[in-house]
């Protein structure tokens, strides 16, 4: 027999699940790879660059073959090197040094397919995160910034893969990086 505290916990968990599912939330799950993306050529061929390393890993995880030489009918993904920028949000009132800033990573890519319905689109994926800077812990600031850059790269790769597997070229603008159904939940 369950005691009263366990019943309350079960009711709270059930209510939370109902609230989340009522909103339309669902896990993304595995990507559905379209036929045109079963074999892809990535340019420039730089397997040691962090973004491309993550991209190649995720593609291989989804059974996509990344080839070394492209032919006339191969799907091509041209990915730029991530551009890192900072936007200052707040200065220290005593020392006039940056106290809070936004770290922004952006990647441009061009995706080209061939066949019945060829696609040629150029898009930009941008991700940003706010960070605080402590003047007393410079090494910790650098480590935190590097961790955030890695997280942003993973987010960018995830968004890039979602875009090339789910969005036709005519439905998205050049700078669009939203979700398919624009559901905020």
């Amino acid at each position: 027999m369950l005691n009263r505290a366990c019943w309350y916990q079960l009711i709270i968990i059930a209510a939370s699940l109902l609230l989340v599912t009522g909103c339309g939330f669902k896990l993304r799950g595995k990507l559905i790879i379209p036929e045109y993306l079963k074999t892809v050529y990535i340019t420039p061929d730089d397997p040691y660059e962090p973004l491309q390393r993550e991209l190649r890993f995720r593609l291989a995880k989804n059974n996509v073959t990344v080839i070394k030489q492209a032919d006339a009918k191969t799907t091509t993904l041209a990915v730029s090197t991530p551009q890192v920028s900072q936007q200052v949000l707040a200065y220290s009132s005593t020392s006039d040094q940056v106290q809070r800033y936004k770290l922004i990573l952006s990647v441009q890519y061009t995706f080209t397919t061939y066949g019945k319905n060829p696609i040629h689109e150029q898009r930009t994926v941008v991700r940003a995160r706010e960070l605080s800077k402590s003047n007393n812990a410079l090494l910790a600031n650098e480590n935190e910034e590097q961790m955030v850059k890695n997280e942003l790269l993973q987010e960018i790769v995830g968004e890039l893969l979602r875009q090339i597997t789910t969005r036709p070229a005519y439905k998205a603008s050049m700078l669009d990086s939203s979700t398919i159904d624009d559901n905020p939940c």
Side-chain angles (χ1 to χ4, degrees):
M1 185 71 95
L2 294 175
N3 62 13
R4 192 173 275 230
C6 288
W7 279 109
Y8 288 134
Q9 289 176 349
L10 284 173
I11 290 172
I12 290 172
I13 290 171
S16 299
L17 287 173
L18 284 173
L19 180 68
V20 170
T21 56
C23 164
F25 175 81
K26 61 184 174 186
L27 294 174
R28 283 197 181 108
K30 193 170 182 175
L31 287 174
I32 298 172
I33 304 298
E35 196 59 41
Y36 61 80
L37 197 60
K38 295 290 183 185
T39 302
V40 67
Y41 173 68
I42 299 176
T43 181
D45 187 18
D46 188 3
Y48 301 109
E49 195 272 320
L51 176 87
Q52 282 200 27
R53 187 173 50 230
E54 179 69 21
L55 180 61
R56 289 167 192 273
F57 172 75
R58 290 264 199 74
L59 286 170
K61 190 175 172 183
N62 286 289
N63 299 322
V64 174
T65 305
V66 178
I67 58 175
K68 297 282 183 190
Q69 291 286 353
D71 61 10
K73 303 239 177 195
T74 303
T75 299
T76 304
L77 180 61
V79 183
S80 72
T81 303
Q83 301 299 312
V84 181
S85 61
Q86 294 181 358
Q87 178 183 7
V88 176
L89 300 175
Y91 288 100
S92 172
S93 60
T94 57
S95 64
D96 245 6
Q97 292 182 340
V98 174
Q99 192 173 28
R100 190 150 184 81
Y101 64 99
K102 185 185 287 189
L103 184 67
I104 304 167
L105 258 72
S106 64
V107 172
Q108 292 183 343
Y109 71 92
T110 304
F111 183 65
T112 309
T113 65
Y114 302 94
K116 288 186 212 171
N117 301 319
I119 300 172
H120 181 79
E121 59 189 24
Q122 182 175 0
R123 294 188 188 167
T124 301
V125 180
V126 179
R127 290 292 181 263
R129 185 94 29 94
E130 289 185 17
L131 293 167
S132 296
K133 197 178 228 182
S134 171
N135 296 329
N136 298 330
L138 296 177
L139 188 57
N141 291 338
E142 290 176 14
N143 288 340
E144 181 182 15
E145 186 173 311
Q146 189 57 46
M147 286 183 356
V148 169
K149 280 181 186 177
N150 291 339
E151 290 173 6
L152 292 175
L153 279 176
Q154 289 178 0
E155 289 177 16
I156 286 173
V157 168
E159 181 62 30
L160 189 150
L161 288 175
R162 278 188 294 282
Q163 286 185 12
I164 65 175
T165 57
T166 59
R167 303 283 302 262
Y170 62 89
K171 280 196 172 183
S173 67
M174 184 173 145
L175 295 176
D176 185 22
S177 63
S178 59
T179 58
I180 291 174
D181 58 0
D182 293 324
N183 186 353
C185 283

